[in-house]
Amino acid sequence: ITIDGKGLVQSFNPAAERIFGWPAADIIGRNLNLLMPSPLAEQHDSYLEHYHQTGERRILGQGREVLGLHRDGRHIPLRLSIGQADTPDGPIFVGFAYDLTERKRTEAQLRIAASVFDHTCEGIAVIDAHHQIVEINPAFTQLTGLLRERCMRTPFEELYQDAQPAIEMRAIWKAVAAHGHWQGEIQLLRADGVQWTQRLSLTAVLNEHKRLAHYVAVVSDVSLHM
C-alpha cells in the first residue's frame, strides 16, 4: 500500500485487497486510517503531522505488529513495515503488510495443546519413527512411576519388558502400521513394585506428505475399573 504525505492511499495491490476486503477502486484516494481500528485510526494523521514538522522517524524502517481493520469490521493481526520514497510532489510512504491471522491461530492452538499436554490426567508419550520416546507429560511419570530421565530417548518397548502376561510389541507396531492405531490393556509393575492395569493407546501421526512423523502413546490407569 502506498500513501501520500496527507495519508491518502495512492496504490492498493491485490494482496491488500484480499487482506482488508476492499477493492482498490473503493480505497484509492481515501485516508489510510479507514484500514485501522480505534484509537490507531485517530492517531494516524497526528503521526504524519509530527513527521512533517520534526522529521522524526518513529516507525519508518521498523517492522512491528499492529491491528488492521477489515471491511467487515474484523480486526486483523498484521506485521507492518513502512518505507519512504521522495518524489517531486513530496514523500510517498510504502507500507508492507503481512497477514498474521493464520500464524496467530496456530499459536493459539499450540498453546491450548501444550496446556492439555501438561494438565491432562492421562499419560502421554511422543515417540519418534524409530520407536524412541522424545517427550512425555507429567501425568506419564506419575502413572508409571518412571522418571523423565529414564524415559527420554528410550525405546518405547523397553517400558513393557516386564508386562505380565508378556506382550508382543512387534505385533502391536504392525497393527499400528496397518490400521493407524492400537489399543489394549496391559498388566504392569510400577517402579515401586505395585501392580496396575494400564490401558495403552498407540496412534501413528502422519505429516503433510502422508508419511509417518511420529507416534503418540496415551496411557491411563484402569486398575480400579477391573
Side-chain angles (χ1 to χ4, degrees):
I1 306 169
T2 62
I3 63 171
D4 64 15
K6 297 179 181 179
L8 303 182
V9 176
Q10 303 298 296
S11 67
F12 202 71
N13 75 347
E17 292 181 316
R18 290 192 297 271
I19 291 173
F20 293 98
W22 287 91
D26 289 351
I27 203 73
I28 289 175
R30 302 176 72 174
N31 196 298
L32 184 68
N33 61 21
L34 186 67
L35 307 178
M36 304 174 185
S38 181
L40 186 59
E42 291 79 12
Q43 297 168 347
H44 180 254
D45 288 347
S46 65
Y47 289 154
L48 280 176
E49 183 63 28
H50 177 82
Y51 172 74
H52 291 316
Q53 291 180 357
T54 67
E56 181 183 357
R57 299 188 174 198
R58 289 182 174 177
I59 61 174
L60 286 176
Q62 300 180 14
R64 59 175 182 158
E65 291 190 12
V66 300
L67 286 178
L69 185 65
H70 193 274
R71 187 177 188 178
D72 64 11
R74 288 184 290 117
H75 287 185
I76 315 162
L78 301 170
R79 180 71 178 175
L80 177 67
S81 59
I82 301 174
Q84 178 187 339
D86 293 319
T87 74
D89 297 323
I92 291 291
F93 301 97
V94 185
F96 301 89
Y98 181 79
D99 188 350
L100 299 177
T101 301
E102 287 303 317
R103 196 188 83 180
K104 294 293 185 181
R105 183 179 293 117
T106 299
E107 289 174 352
Q109 291 172 341
L110 289 174
R111 285 193 296 270
I112 293 171
S115 179
V116 171
F117 185 81
D118 287 338
H119 296 99
T120 183
C121 61
E122 294 181 308
I124 301 174
V126 180
I127 306 160
D128 68 16
H130 303 290
H131 301 173
Q132 290 193 331
I133 299 172
V134 294
E135 189 58 85
I136 60 173
N137 72 340
F140 192 89
T141 62
Q142 294 168 5
L143 286 169
T144 63
L146 298 171
L147 296 176
R148 177 181 175 84
E149 293 76 12
R150 162 69 178 84
C151 297
M152 299 300 290
R153 308 311 306 182
T154 297
F156 186 69
E157 42 265 45
E158 282 191 15
L159 305 187
Y160 296 89
Q161 290 178 339
D162 300 325
Q164 294 295 331
I167 60 172
E168 180 52 63
M169 283 300 298
R170 185 174 299 177
I172 292 175
W173 287 122
K174 287 183 66 175
V176 175
H179 307 292
H181 61 87
W182 178 90
Q183 181 172 291
E185 293 181 359
I186 304 170
Q187 299 289 328
L188 292 168
L189 289 179
R190 287 195 179 91
D192 58 7
V194 176
Q195 188 175 37
W196 67 300
T197 303
Q198 178 190 113
R199 177 175 289 134
L200 169 64
S201 174
L202 270 173
T203 303
V205 180
L206 306 182
N207 62 21
E208 64 272 18
H209 303 296
K210 305 300 181 182
R211 296 179 179 175
L212 178 67
H214 55 270
Y215 303 93
V216 174
V218 178
V219 302
S220 56
D221 186 351
V222 295
S223 303
L224 298 179
H225 305 291
M226 298 297 292

